[in-house]
Amino acid sequence: MSLTDYTSYRLSVKEYIFYGILGMSAILVISYLFYHSLIPAALFLPLSYLYFKQVSRRLYSKRYNKLCRQFKDSLVSLSASLEAGCSIENAVWEAYLEISVLYSRNSYMAGELISIYNQLQLSIPVEEAFSNLAARTDVDDILTFCEILKISKRTDGNLVSIIRSTASTIEEKFEIRREISTNINGKKFEQLIMSVMPILIIIYIKLTSPDFFNPLYGNIAGIAFVTICLLVYGFSIYLSLKIIKIEV
């Protein structure tokens, strides 16, 4: 049975190496462009904790969205199979096969569905099997579905109707989320361009007029000025990311 904990994200060794190289490269470039020296890069190393924390959040968000989409498709498949007269065990198996085709057998929900199927084969109640998944995730759709499923089993509710209704609600929510994402993709691209534009301008000036920034290097006033500019630049990027971040 899959025991993946979806409530947090831990970077793998490969991810630490990959994103570490990206982060160090960015630090070296910024250090050289703003201070004409690679030595200040060492002063940015304490920020690596915040950097990897932000990377973890982004990867967690990416996994969260994948899990939501796969769970939604799983419920749609479950609903269709149950309405066709399949037992809950066969419906879960059919959902597993469909998810395996859509997303591959290594996808999150493919592993969870085969785990749920194995639990059902051991006569574990369906609500308990899904609760095992809910206990390891903080996805609202999964938590809500499990709570509804528990109440339904206690009150002898119609399982097919509940799964169909829940699948429909989650699908509508997913469509709204996708529409919002589509509408703000253009703004995200604009934000990306505006974020890298100052760096590109500095690189252009350095290539065309190498001595233009020399008065800012090697003196306290110049270092203080470029440091303030760097802080303002960093804060503007942080603020722009906050503005375009929309949760549904």
Side-chain angles (χ1 to χ4, degrees):
M1 183 176 64
S2 175
L3 296 176
T4 303
D5 182 9
Y6 298 102
T7 59
S8 61
Y9 192 97
R10 293 185 178 181
L11 295 174
S12 65
V13 175
K14 290 183 179 179
E15 289 171 333
Y16 267 114
I17 294 175
F18 176 74
Y19 289 103
I21 292 175
L22 287 182
M24 181 57 66
S25 300
I27 287 175
L28 292 175
V29 169
I30 291 175
S31 179
Y32 180 76
L33 290 178
F34 281 81
Y35 299 99
H36 198 62
S37 172
L38 299 180
I39 297 177
L43 301 177
F44 294 116
L45 291 179
L47 298 177
S48 60
Y49 170 76
L50 296 177
Y51 167 71
F52 282 114
K53 188 174 181 179
Q54 183 63 28
V55 169
S56 296
R57 287 178 178 175
R58 292 183 67 86
L59 293 178
Y60 167 83
S61 178
K62 184 177 180 180
R63 184 182 65 181
Y64 181 95
N65 292 330
K66 286 183 177 180
L67 189 60
C68 287
R69 183 169 62 252
Q70 293 176 20
F71 181 74
K72 182 265 298 183
D73 291 335
S74 298
L75 283 190
V76 171
S77 178
L78 274 174
S79 176
S81 297
L82 289 173
E83 288 183 343
C86 293
S87 64
I88 183 62
E89 291 85 357
N90 290 335
V92 170
W93 178 254
E94 290 298 325
Y96 162 72
L97 295 179
E98 186 171 334
I99 292 299
S100 296
V101 172
L102 287 174
Y103 300 104
S104 85
R105 293 187 177 182
N106 296 323
S107 61
Y108 302 120
M109 279 308 301
E112 296 298 340
L113 285 171
I114 196 63
S115 174
I116 292 172
Y117 176 78
N118 291 334
Q119 292 178 66
L120 295 178
Q121 292 296 101
L122 296 174
S123 299
I124 295 176
V126 61
E127 68 274 16
E128 184 176 337
F130 274 97
S131 293
N132 289 333
L133 169 60
R136 293 178 283 105
T137 181
D138 54 1
V139 177
D140 292 338
D141 294 337
I142 299 178
L143 295 172
T144 301
F145 171 73
C146 290
E147 289 300 320
I148 294 175
L149 195 59
K150 288 179 181 178
I151 296 174
S152 170
K153 295 296 288 185
R154 286 200 299 264
T155 58
D156 295 325
N158 189 324
L159 181 62
V160 176
S161 175
I162 288 172
I163 292 180
R164 181 177 64 247
S165 176
T166 305
S168 176
T169 301
I170 292 177
E171 192 166 16
E172 290 177 2
K173 182 179 177 181
F174 182 81
E175 289 299 324
I176 294 174
R177 186 186 293 117
R178 186 168 60 180
E179 288 180 8
I180 293 176
S181 178
T182 300
N183 291 334
I184 67 174
N185 277 341
K187 298 301 179 181
K188 287 183 177 181
F189 183 73
E190 292 177 8
Q191 184 272 332
L192 176 62
I193 296 299
M194 295 301 294
S195 295
V196 301
M197 189 59 68
I199 298 296
L200 296 178
I201 292 174
I202 294 176
I203 292 175
Y204 174 77
I205 294 176
K206 274 187 169 292
L207 292 176
T208 56
S209 303
D211 300 329
F212 184 83
F213 292 112
N214 284 349
L216 299 176
Y217 302 138
N219 60 85
I220 296 178
I223 293 175
F225 178 76
V226 297
T227 300
I228 293 174
C229 292
L230 185 58
L231 291 174
V232 172
Y233 175 57
F235 179 75
S236 65
I237 293 178
Y238 170 79
L239 190 61
S240 63
L241 291 174
K242 283 290 186 181
I243 291 175
I244 64 174
K245 183 179 180 181
I246 299 177
E247 299 290 346
V248 179

